[in-house]
Amino acid sequence: MLRLRPFKICDAPYLLQWFQDEKSFTMWSANKLTYPLTMEQLIEYKNRFDEDPNAWIFVALDEDGTPVGHFSMRNADYKKRSIHLGFIVVDTTCRGKGYGKEMVSLAIQYATEILKMTRVTLGVFGNNEAAHNCYKSIGMIDEEFHPAFFDYKDEKWDLYDMAYIKE
């Protein structure tokens, strides 16, 4: 069972350990941060979100209270009742335990029940099949496909725009 709470700087050392290579880091950050991730970048990242009234950063805690996941919510639009999830990651040592599915489900629950949103969106690269399947398994749908959307070294990554629509 996971719990969500706001991200704190004391969570940063956990997040710093979750990226073992540049490619997986880029799949998470989409070049919005630089590899390798540093404490200074995380402080700046948190400060940017703290200054944005329509954005938040969360951490998912396991039963012992240890951070095992992270995500952000941004672009909250209260008129359109829409919000965007991003920077979704689960501790590499905890993958395959259903934490990603549970964490994103809790994020959607928070967005729809607490923030009263009816639309929750996210983007996922086509080469991240595990994440794409995870999001589909909790009711997100592919809304738009962007072939060769993102450049990573000599590769072109496709992007899926996905959404959860509360009826």
Side-chain angles (χ1 to χ4, degrees):
M1 177 183 81
L2 296 181
R3 296 171 177 86
L4 300 182
R5 72 156 165 75
F7 176 80
K8 300 177 179 186
I9 288 302
C10 65
D11 301 321
Y14 293 94
L15 195 56
L16 289 170
Q17 298 174 30
W18 295 347
F19 301 101
Q20 308 304 317
D21 61 81
E22 185 177 3
K23 188 171 187 173
S24 64
F25 175 81
T26 303
M27 289 171 77
W28 174 70
S29 70
N31 287 341
K32 290 177 177 67
L33 299 167
T34 57
Y35 185 80
L37 187 61
T38 64
M39 181 64 84
E40 292 74 24
Q41 286 185 86
L42 286 175
I43 291 169
E44 184 179 316
Y45 162 70
K46 183 179 183 321
N47 289 340
R48 269 194 327 268
F49 272 79
D50 285 349
E51 292 171 6
D52 185 339
N54 297 312
W56 305 268
I57 306 172
F58 291 88
V59 66
L61 307 173
D62 67 10
E63 292 178 358
D64 297 326
T66 303
V68 294
H70 171 277
F71 67 93
S72 69
M73 288 186 175
R74 66 182 190 274
N75 302 331
D77 185 326
Y78 296 103
K79 289 183 181 177
K80 292 182 181 175
R81 297 177 64 189
S82 176
I83 196 159
H84 187 80
L85 301 180
F87 290 104
I88 301 167
V89 67
V90 172
D91 179 347
T92 50
T93 65
C94 297
R95 293 187 184 157
K97 298 180 180 180
Y99 285 170
K101 185 175 181 176
E102 185 177 357
M103 180 177 70
V104 176
S105 294
L106 287 170
I108 289 171
Q109 182 180 357
Y110 183 91
T112 57
E113 294 180 15
I114 305 296
L115 299 176
K116 305 298 185 201
M117 300 296 179
T118 57
R119 178 177 171 77
V120 181
T121 63
L122 60 78
V124 62
F125 290 120
N127 61 346
N128 194 346
E129 194 173 328
H132 189 218
N133 289 332
C134 172
Y135 305 145
K136 285 196 281 190
S137 76
I138 56 176
M140 298 197 86
I141 58 168
D142 293 334
E143 284 198 319
E144 198 167 343
F145 176 71
H146 307 277
F149 179 83
F150 184 85
D151 293 322
Y152 174 74
K153 298 190 177 189
D154 60 346
E155 301 173 10
K156 298 266 188 198
W157 294 354
D158 302 333
L159 178 75
Y160 291 93
D161 287 329
M162 301 186 77
Y164 175 88
I165 314 283
K166 182 178 180 184
E167 305 202 7

CSV table of all heavy atoms in Angstrom, one decimal, residues 2-54:
chain,number,residue,atom,x,y,z
A,2,LEU,N,0.6,2.1,-1.0
A,2,LEU,CA,1.4,3.4,-1.0
A,2,LEU,C,0.6,4.5,-0.5
A,2,LEU,O,-0.6,4.5,-0.4
A,2,LEU,CB,1.7,3.7,-2.5
A,2,LEU,CG,2.6,2.7,-3.2
A,2,LEU,CD1,2.9,3.2,-4.7
A,2,LEU,CD2,4.0,2.5,-2.5
A,3,ARG,N,1.3,5.6,-0.1
A,3,ARG,CA,0.7,6.8,0.4
A,3,ARG,C,1.4,7.9,-0.4
A,3,ARG,O,2.6,7.8,-0.8
A,3,ARG,CB,1.0,7.0,1.8
A,3,ARG,CG,0.4,6.0,2.8
A,3,ARG,CD,1.0,6.3,4.2
A,3,ARG,NE,0.4,5.4,5.1
A,3,ARG,CZ,0.8,4.1,5.4
A,3,ARG,NH1,1.8,3.6,4.7
A,3,ARG,NH2,0.2,3.4,6.3
A,4,LEU,N,0.7,9.0,-0.7
A,4,LEU,CA,1.2,10.2,-1.3
A,4,LEU,C,1.4,11.3,-0.3
A,4,LEU,O,0.6,11.4,0.6
A,4,LEU,CB,0.3,10.7,-2.4
A,4,LEU,CG,-0.1,9.7,-3.6
A,4,LEU,CD1,-1.0,10.4,-4.6
A,4,LEU,CD2,1.2,9.2,-4.2
A,5,ARG,N,2.4,12.1,-0.6
A,5,ARG,CA,2.6,13.3,0.2
A,5,ARG,C,3.4,14.3,-0.7
A,5,ARG,O,4.1,13.8,-1.6
A,5,ARG,CB,3.2,13.1,1.6
A,5,ARG,CG,4.7,12.7,1.5
A,5,ARG,CD,5.3,13.1,2.9
A,5,ARG,NE,6.6,12.5,3.1
A,5,ARG,CZ,7.7,12.9,2.5
A,5,ARG,NH1,7.7,13.8,1.6
A,5,ARG,NH2,8.9,12.2,2.8
A,6,PRO,N,3.4,15.6,-0.3
A,6,PRO,CA,4.2,16.5,-1.1
A,6,PRO,C,5.7,16.1,-1.0
A,6,PRO,O,6.2,15.6,0.0
A,6,PRO,CB,4.0,17.8,-0.4
A,6,PRO,CG,2.7,17.7,0.3
A,6,PRO,CD,2.6,16.2,0.7
A,7,PHE,N,6.4,16.3,-2.1
A,7,PHE,CA,7.9,16.1,-2.2
A,7,PHE,C,8.6,17.1,-1.3
A,7,PHE,O,8.3,18.3,-1.3
A,7,PHE,CB,8.3,16.3,-3.7
A,7,PHE,CG,9.8,16.2,-3.9
A,7,PHE,CD1,10.4,14.9,-3.9
A,7,PHE,CD2,10.6,17.3,-4.0
A,7,PHE,CE1,11.8,14.8,-4.1
A,7,PHE,CE2,11.9,17.2,-4.3
A,7,PHE,CZ,12.5,16.0,-4.3
A,8,LYS,N,9.6,16.7,-0.6
A,8,LYS,CA,10.4,17.5,0.3
A,8,LYS,C,11.9,17.3,-0.2
A,8,LYS,O,12.2,16.3,-0.7
A,8,LYS,CB,10.3,17.1,1.7
A,8,LYS,CG,8.9,17.2,2.3
A,8,LYS,CD,8.9,16.7,3.8
A,8,LYS,CE,7.6,16.8,4.4
A,8,LYS,NZ,7.7,16.5,5.8
A,9,ILE,N,12.7,18.3,0.1
A,9,ILE,CA,14.1,18.2,-0.2
A,9,ILE,C,14.7,17.0,0.4
A,9,ILE,O,15.6,16.4,-0.1
A,9,ILE,CB,14.9,19.5,0.1
A,9,ILE,CG1,14.4,20.6,-1.0
A,9,ILE,CG2,16.4,19.3,0.0
A,9,ILE,CD1,14.7,20.2,-2.4
A,10,CYS,N,14.3,16.6,1.6
A,10,CYS,CA,14.8,15.4,2.3
A,10,CYS,C,14.6,14.1,1.5
A,10,CYS,O,15.2,13.1,1.7
A,10,CYS,CB,14.3,15.3,3.7
A,10,CYS,SG,12.5,15.0,3.9
A,11,ASP,N,13.7,14.2,0.5
A,11,ASP,CA,13.4,13.0,-0.4
A,11,ASP,C,14.4,13.0,-1.5
A,11,ASP,O,14.5,11.9,-2.2
A,11,ASP,CB,12.0,13.1,-1.0
A,11,ASP,CG,10.9,13.2,0.0
A,11,ASP,OD1,11.0,12.5,1.0
A,11,ASP,OD2,9.9,13.9,-0.2
A,12,ALA,N,15.1,14.1,-1.8
A,12,ALA,CA,16.0,14.1,-2.9
A,12,ALA,C,17.1,13.0,-3.0
A,12,ALA,O,17.3,12.5,-4.1
A,12,ALA,CB,16.7,15.5,-3.0
A,13,PRO,N,17.7,12.7,-1.9
A,13,PRO,CA,18.7,11.6,-2.0
A,13,PRO,C,18.2,10.3,-2.5
A,13,PRO,O,18.9,9.5,-3.2
A,13,PRO,CB,19.2,11.4,-0.5
A,13,PRO,CG,19.0,12.8,0.1
A,13,PRO,CD,17.7,13.3,-0.5
A,14,TYR,N,16.9,10.0,-2.3
A,14,TYR,CA,16.3,8.8,-2.9
A,14,TYR,C,16.2,9.0,-4.4
A,14,TYR,O,16.6,8.1,-5.1
A,14,TYR,CB,14.9,8.6,-2.3
A,14,TYR,CG,14.9,8.2,-0.8
A,14,TYR,CD1,14.8,9.2,0.1
A,14,TYR,CD2,15.1,6.9,-0.4
A,14,TYR,CE1,14.8,8.9,1.5
A,14,TYR,CE2,15.1,6.6,0.9
A,14,TYR,CZ,14.9,7.6,1.9
A,14,TYR,OH,15.0,7.2,3.2
A,15,LEU,N,15.7,10.1,-4.8
A,15,LEU,CA,15.5,10.3,-6.3
A,15,LEU,C,16.8,10.3,-7.0
A,15,LEU,O,16.9,9.8,-8.1
A,15,LEU,CB,14.8,11.7,-6.4
A,15,LEU,CG,14.2,12.0,-7.8
A,15,LEU,CD1,13.2,10.9,-8.2
A,15,LEU,CD2,13.5,13.3,-7.8
A,16,LEU,N,17.9,10.8,-6.4
A,16,LEU,CA,19.2,10.8,-7.0
A,16,LEU,C,19.7,9.4,-7.3
A,16,LEU,O,20.5,9.3,-8.2
A,16,LEU,CB,20.2,11.6,-6.1
A,16,LEU,CG,20.0,13.1,-6.0
A,16,LEU,CD1,20.9,13.7,-4.9
A,16,LEU,CD2,20.2,13.8,-7.3
A,17,GLN,N,19.2,8.4,-6.6
A,17,GLN,CA,19.7,7.0,-6.8
A,17,GLN,C,18.9,6.3,-7.8
A,17,GLN,O,19.3,5.1,-8.2
A,17,GLN,CB,19.6,6.3,-5.4
A,17,GLN,CG,20.5,6.8,-4.3
A,17,GLN,CD,20.2,6.1,-3.0
A,17,GLN,OE1,19.9,5.0,-3.0
A,17,GLN,NE2,20.4,6.8,-1.9
A,18,TRP,N,17.8,6.8,-8.3
A,18,TRP,CA,16.9,6.0,-9.2
A,18,TRP,C,17.3,6.0,-10.6
A,18,TRP,O,16.6,5.4,-11.4
A,18,TRP,CB,15.5,6.5,-9.0
A,18,TRP,CG,15.0,6.3,-7.6
A,18,TRP,CD1,15.5,5.5,-6.6
A,18,TRP,CD2,13.8,6.8,-7.1
A,18,TRP,NE1,14.7,5.6,-5.5
A,18,TRP,CE2,13.7,6.4,-5.7
A,18,TRP,CE3,12.8,7.7,-7.5
A,18,TRP,CZ2,12.6,6.7,-4.9
A,18,TRP,CZ3,11.7,8.0,-6.7
A,18,TRP,CH2,11.6,7.6,-5.4
A,19,PHE,N,18.3,6.7,-11.0
A,19,PHE,CA,18.7,6.8,-12.5
A,19,PHE,C,20.1,6.2,-12.7
A,19,PHE,O,21.0,6.8,-12.2
A,19,PHE,CB,18.5,8.2,-13.0
A,19,PHE,CG,17.2,8.7,-12.8
A,19,PHE,CD1,16.8,9.6,-11.8
A,19,PHE,CD2,16.2,8.3,-13.7
A,19,PHE,CE1,15.6,10.1,-11.6
A,19,PHE,CE2,14.9,8.8,-13.5
A,19,PHE,CZ,14.6,9.7,-12.5
A,20,GLN,N,20.1,5.1,-13.3
A,20,GLN,CA,21.4,4.4,-13.5
A,20,GLN,C,22.1,4.7,-14.8
A,20,GLN,O,23.3,4.4,-14.9
A,20,GLN,CB,21.2,2.9,-13.4
A,20,GLN,CG,20.5,2.4,-12.2
A,20,GLN,CD,21.1,2.9,-10.9
A,20,GLN,OE1,22.3,2.8,-10.7
A,20,GLN,NE2,20.3,3.3,-9.9
A,21,ASP,N,21.4,5.3,-15.7
A,21,ASP,CA,22.0,5.6,-17.0
A,21,ASP,C,21.3,6.8,-17.6
A,21,ASP,O,20.2,7.2,-17.3
A,21,ASP,CB,21.9,4.4,-18.0
A,21,ASP,CG,20.4,4.0,-18.2
A,21,ASP,OD1,19.8,4.6,-19.1
A,21,ASP,OD2,19.9,3.1,-17.5
A,22,GLU,N,21.9,7.4,-18.6
A,22,GLU,CA,21.4,8.7,-19.2
A,22,GLU,C,20.1,8.4,-20.0
A,22,GLU,O,19.3,9.3,-20.0
A,22,GLU,CB,22.5,9.2,-20.2
A,22,GLU,CG,22.1,10.6,-20.7
A,22,GLU,CD,23.2,11.2,-21.6
A,22,GLU,OE1,24.3,10.5,-21.8
A,22,GLU,OE2,23.0,12.3,-22.1
A,23,LYS,N,20.0,7.3,-20.7
A,23,LYS,CA,18.8,7.0,-21.5
A,23,LYS,C,17.6,7.0,-20.6
A,23,LYS,O,16.5,7.6,-20.9
A,23,LYS,CB,19.0,5.8,-22.3
A,23,LYS,CG,17.8,5.6,-23.3
A,23,LYS,CD,18.1,4.4,-24.2
A,23,LYS,CE,17.1,4.3,-25.3
A,23,LYS,NZ,17.5,3.3,-26.3
A,24,SER,N,17.6,6.2,-19.5
A,24,SER,CA,16.4,6.1,-18.6
A,24,SER,C,16.1,7.5,-18.0
A,24,SER,O,15.0,7.9,-17.8
A,24,SER,CB,16.6,5.0,-17.6
A,24,SER,OG,17.6,5.3,-16.7
A,25,PHE,N,17.2,8.2,-17.6
A,25,PHE,CA,17.0,9.6,-17.1
A,25,PHE,C,16.3,10.5,-18.1
A,25,PHE,O,15.4,11.2,-17.7
A,25,PHE,CB,18.4,10.2,-16.7
A,25,PHE,CG,18.3,11.6,-16.2
A,25,PHE,CD1,17.9,11.9,-14.9
A,25,PHE,CD2,18.6,12.6,-17.1
A,25,PHE,CE1,17.8,13.2,-14.5
A,25,PHE,CE2,18.5,13.9,-16.7
A,25,PHE,CZ,18.2,14.2,-15.4
A,26,THR,N,16.7,10.4,-19.4
A,26,THR,CA,16.1,11.3,-20.4
A,26,THR,C,14.7,10.9,-20.6
A,26,THR,O,13.9,11.7,-20.9
A,26,THR,CB,17.0,11.2,-21.7
A,26,THR,OG1,18.3,11.6,-21.4
A,26,THR,CG2,16.4,12.1,-22.8
A,27,MET,N,14.4,9.6,-20.6
A,27,MET,CA,13.0,9.1,-20.7
A,27,MET,C,12.1,9.8,-19.6
A,27,MET,O,11.0,10.1,-19.8
A,27,MET,CB,12.9,7.6,-20.6
A,27,MET,CG,13.4,6.9,-21.9
A,27,MET,SD,13.5,5.2,-21.7
A,27,MET,CE,11.9,4.7,-22.0
A,28,TRP,N,12.7,10.0,-18.4
A,28,TRP,CA,12.0,10.6,-17.3
A,28,TRP,C,11.9,12.1,-17.4
A,28,TRP,O,10.9,12.7,-17.3
A,28,TRP,CB,12.7,10.2,-16.0
A,28,TRP,CG,12.1,10.9,-14.8
A,28,TRP,CD1,10.9,10.7,-14.2
A,28,TRP,CD2,12.8,11.9,-14.0
A,28,TRP,NE1,10.7,11.5,-13.1
A,28,TRP,CE2,11.9,12.3,-13.0
A,28,TRP,CE3,14.0,12.6,-14.1
A,28,TRP,CZ2,12.2,13.3,-12.0
A,28,TRP,CZ3,14.3,13.5,-13.1
A,28,TRP,CH2,13.4,13.9,-12.1
A,29,SER,N,13.1,12.7,-17.8
A,29,SER,CA,13.2,14.2,-17.7
A,29,SER,C,12.9,14.9,-19.0
A,29,SER,O,12.7,16.1,-19.0
A,29,SER,CB,14.6,14.6,-17.2
A,29,SER,OG,15.5,14.3,-18.2
A,30,ALA,N,12.9,14.2,-20.2
A,30,ALA,CA,12.7,14.8,-21.5
A,30,ALA,C,13.6,16.0,-21.7
A,30,ALA,O,13.1,17.0,-22.2
A,30,ALA,CB,11.3,15.1,-21.7
A,31,ASN,N,14.8,16.0,-21.2
A,31,ASN,CA,15.8,17.1,-21.3
A,31,ASN,C,15.4,18.3,-20.6
A,31,ASN,O,16.0,19.4,-20.8
A,31,ASN,CB,16.1,17.4,-22.8
A,31,ASN,CG,16.9,16.4,-23.5
A,31,ASN,OD1,17.6,15.6,-22.8
A,31,ASN,ND2,16.9,16.3,-24.8
A,32,LYS,N,14.5,18.2,-19.6
A,32,LYS,CA,14.1,19.4,-18.8
A,32,LYS,C,15.1,19.5,-17.6
A,32,LYS,O,15.2,20.6,-17.0
A,32,LYS,CB,12.7,19.3,-18.3
A,32,LYS,CG,11.7,19.5,-19.4
A,32,LYS,CD,10.3,19.3,-19.0
A,32,LYS,CE,9.3,19.6,-20.0
A,32,LYS,NZ,9.3,18.6,-21.1
A,33,LEU,N,15.9,18.5,-17.4
A,33,LEU,CA,17.0,18.4,-16.4
A,33,LEU,C,18.2,17.8,-17.1
A,33,LEU,O,18.0,17.1,-18.2
A,33,LEU,CB,16.6,17.7,-15.2
A,33,LEU,CG,15.4,18.2,-14.4
A,33,LEU,CD1,14.9,17.2,-13.4
A,33,LEU,CD2,15.8,19.5,-13.7
A,34,THR,N,19.4,18.0,-16.6
A,34,THR,CA,20.5,17.4,-17.2
A,34,THR,C,21.1,16.2,-16.4
A,34,THR,O,21.0,16.2,-15.2
A,34,THR,CB,21.6,18.5,-17.5
A,34,THR,OG1,22.0,19.0,-16.2
A,34,THR,CG2,21.2,19.5,-18.4
A,35,TYR,N,21.7,15.3,-17.2
A,35,TYR,CA,22.3,14.1,-16.6
A,35,TYR,C,23.7,14.4,-16.3
A,35,TYR,O,24.4,14.9,-17.1
A,35,TYR,CB,22.1,12.9,-17.5
A,35,TYR,CG,22.6,11.6,-17.0
A,35,TYR,CD1,21.8,10.9,-16.1
A,35,TYR,CD2,23.9,11.1,-17.3
A,35,TYR,CE1,22.2,9.7,-15.6
A,35,TYR,CE2,24.3,9.9,-16.7
A,35,TYR,CZ,23.5,9.2,-15.9
A,35,TYR,OH,23.9,8.0,-15.4
A,36,PRO,N,24.2,13.9,-15.1
A,36,PRO,CA,23.5,13.3,-14.0
A,36,PRO,C,22.8,14.3,-13.2
A,36,PRO,O,23.2,15.4,-13.0
A,36,PRO,CB,24.7,12.6,-13.2
A,36,PRO,CG,25.8,13.5,-13.5
A,36,PRO,CD,25.7,14.0,-14.9
A,37,LEU,N,21.7,13.8,-12.6
A,37,LEU,CA,20.9,14.6,-11.7
A,37,LEU,C,21.7,15.0,-10.5
A,37,LEU,O,22.4,14.2,-9.9
A,37,LEU,CB,19.6,13.8,-11.3
A,37,LEU,CG,18.5,14.5,-10.5
A,37,LEU,CD1,18.0,15.7,-11.3
A,37,LEU,CD2,17.4,13.6,-10.2
A,38,THR,N,21.5,16.2,-10.1
A,38,THR,CA,22.2,16.7,-8.9
A,38,THR,C,21.2,17.3,-7.9
A,38,THR,O,20.1,17.6,-8.2
A,38,THR,CB,23.2,17.8,-9.3
A,38,THR,OG1,22.5,18.9,-9.8
A,38,THR,CG2,24.2,17.3,-10.3
A,39,MET,N,21.7,17.4,-6.7
A,39,MET,CA,20.9,18.1,-5.6
A,39,MET,C,20.5,19.5,-6.0
A,39,MET,O,19.4,19.9,-5.8
A,39,MET,CB,21.7,18.0,-4.3
A,39,MET,CG,20.9,18.7,-3.1
A,39,MET,SD,19.4,17.7,-2.7
A,39,MET,CE,20.1,16.5,-1.6
A,40,GLU,N,21.5,20.2,-6.6
A,40,GLU,CA,21.2,21.6,-7.0
A,40,GLU,C,20.0,21.6,-8.0
A,40,GLU,O,19.2,22.5,-7.9
A,40,GLU,CB,22.4,22.2,-7.6
A,40,GLU,CG,23.6,22.5,-6.6
A,40,GLU,CD,24.3,21.2,-6.2
A,40,GLU,OE1,24.3,20.2,-7.0
A,40,GLU,OE2,24.9,21.2,-5.1
A,41,GLN,N,20.0,20.7,-9.0
A,41,GLN,CA,18.9,20.7,-9.9
A,41,GLN,C,17.6,20.4,-9.2
A,41,GLN,O,16.6,21.0,-9.6
A,41,GLN,CB,19.2,19.6,-11.0
A,41,GLN,CG,20.2,20.0,-12.0
A,41,GLN,CD,20.3,18.9,-13.1
A,41,GLN,OE1,19.5,18.9,-14.0
A,41,GLN,NE2,21.2,17.9,-12.9
A,42,LEU,N,17.6,19.5,-8.3
A,42,LEU,CA,16.4,19.1,-7.6
A,42,LEU,C,15.9,20.3,-6.7
A,42,LEU,O,14.7,20.5,-6.6
A,42,LEU,CB,16.6,17.9,-6.7
A,42,LEU,CG,16.6,16.6,-7.5
A,42,LEU,CD1,16.9,15.4,-6.6
A,42,LEU,CD2,15.3,16.3,-8.2
A,43,ILE,N,16.8,21.0,-6.1
A,43,ILE,CA,16.4,22.2,-5.4
A,43,ILE,C,15.7,23.2,-6.3
A,43,ILE,O,14.6,23.8,-6.0
A,43,ILE,CB,17.6,22.8,-4.6
A,43,ILE,CG1,18.0,21.8,-3.4
A,43,ILE,CG2,17.2,24.2,-4.0
A,43,ILE,CD1,19.3,22.2,-2.8
A,44,GLU,N,16.3,23.5,-7.4
A,44,GLU,CA,15.8,24.4,-8.4
A,44,GLU,C,14.4,24.0,-8.9
A,44,GLU,O,13.5,24.7,-9.1
A,44,GLU,CB,16.8,24.6,-9.5
A,44,GLU,CG,16.3,25.7,-10.5
A,44,GLU,CD,17.4,25.9,-11.6
A,44,GLU,OE1,18.6,25.9,-11.4
A,44,GLU,OE2,16.9,25.9,-12.8
A,45,TYR,N,14.3,22.7,-9.2
A,45,TYR,CA,13.1,22.0,-9.7
A,45,TYR,C,12.0,22.2,-8.7
A,45,TYR,O,10.9,22.7,-9.0
A,45,TYR,CB,13.4,20.6,-10.0
A,45,TYR,CG,12.3,19.6,-10.1
A,45,TYR,CD1,11.4,19.6,-11.1
A,45,TYR,CD2,12.1,18.6,-9.1
A,45,TYR,CE1,10.4,18.7,-11.2
A,45,TYR,CE2,11.1,17.7,-9.2
A,45,TYR,CZ,10.3,17.7,-10.3
A,45,TYR,OH,9.3,16.7,-10.4
A,46,LYS,N,12.3,21.9,-7.4
A,46,LYS,CA,11.3,22.1,-6.3
A,46,LYS,C,10.9,23.6,-6.2
A,46,LYS,O,9.7,23.9,-6.1
A,46,LYS,CB,11.8,21.5,-5.0
A,46,LYS,CG,10.7,21.7,-3.9
A,46,LYS,CD,11.2,21.1,-2.6
A,46,LYS,CE,10.1,21.1,-1.5
A,46,LYS,NZ,9.3,22.3,-1.4
A,47,ASN,N,11.9,24.5,-6.2
A,47,ASN,CA,11.5,25.9,-6.1
A,47,ASN,C,10.6,26.4,-7.2
A,47,ASN,O,9.7,27.2,-7.0
A,47,ASN,CB,12.8,26.7,-6.0
A,47,ASN,CG,13.6,26.5,-4.7
A,47,ASN,OD1,13.0,26.1,-3.7
A,47,ASN,ND2,14.9,26.9,-4.8
A,48,ARG,N,10.9,25.9,-8.5
A,48,ARG,CA,10.0,26.3,-9.6
A,48,ARG,C,8.6,25.9,-9.3
A,48,ARG,O,7.6,26.6,-9.6
A,48,ARG,CB,10.5,25.7,-10.9
A,48,ARG,CG,11.5,26.5,-11.7
A,48,ARG,CD,11.7,26.1,-13.1
A,48,ARG,NE,11.7,24.6,-13.3
A,48,ARG,CZ,12.7,23.8,-13.3
A,48,ARG,NH1,13.9,24.3,-13.0
A,48,ARG,NH2,12.6,22.5,-13.5
A,49,PHE,N,8.4,24.6,-8.9
A,49,PHE,CA,7.1,24.1,-8.6
A,49,PHE,C,6.4,24.8,-7.4
A,49,PHE,O,5.2,25.1,-7.4
A,49,PHE,CB,7.1,22.6,-8.4
A,49,PHE,CG,6.9,21.8,-9.7
A,49,PHE,CD1,8.0,21.7,-10.5
A,49,PHE,CD2,5.7,21.3,-10.0
A,49,PHE,CE1,7.9,21.0,-11.7
A,49,PHE,CE2,5.6,20.6,-11.2
A,49,PHE,CZ,6.7,20.4,-12.1
A,50,ASP,N,7.2,25.2,-6.4
A,50,ASP,CA,6.7,25.9,-5.2
A,50,ASP,C,6.2,27.3,-5.6
A,50,ASP,O,5.2,27.8,-5.0
A,50,ASP,CB,7.8,26.0,-4.2
A,50,ASP,CG,8.0,24.7,-3.4
A,50,ASP,OD1,7.2,23.7,-3.6
A,50,ASP,OD2,9.0,24.7,-2.6
A,51,GLU,N,6.8,27.9,-6.6
A,51,GLU,CA,6.3,29.2,-7.1
A,51,GLU,C,5.2,29.2,-8.0
A,51,GLU,O,4.6,30.2,-8.3
A,51,GLU,CB,7.5,29.9,-7.7
A,51,GLU,CG,8.6,30.2,-6.7
A,51,GLU,CD,9.9,30.7,-7.4
A,51,GLU,OE1,9.9,31.0,-8.6
A,51,GLU,OE2,10.9,30.9,-6.7
A,52,ASP,N,4.8,28.0,-8.5
A,52,ASP,CA,3.7,27.9,-9.5
A,52,ASP,C,2.4,27.5,-8.8
A,52,ASP,O,2.3,26.4,-8.2
A,52,ASP,CB,4.1,26.8,-10.5
A,52,ASP,CG,3.1,26.7,-11.7
A,52,ASP,OD1,1.9,27.1,-11.5
A,52,ASP,OD2,3.5,26.2,-12.7
A,53,PRO,N,1.4,28.3,-8.8
A,53,PRO,CA,0.2,28.0,-8.0
A,53,PRO,C,-0.6,26.9,-8.7
A,53,PRO,O,-1.5,26.3,-8.0
A,53,PRO,CB,-0.6,29.3,-8.1
A,53,PRO,CG,-0.1,30.0,-9.3
A,53,PRO,CD,1.3,29.6,-9.4
A,54,ASN,N,-0.3,26.5,-9.9
A,54,ASN,CA,-1.0,25.4,-10.6
A,54,ASN,C,-0.1,24.1,-10.8
A,54,ASN,O,-0.3,23.4,-11.7
A,54,ASN,CB,-1.5,25.9,-11.9
A,54,ASN,CG,-2.5,27.0,-11.7
A,54,ASN,OD1,-3.4,26.9,-10.9
A,54,ASN,ND2,-2.3,28.1,-12.4
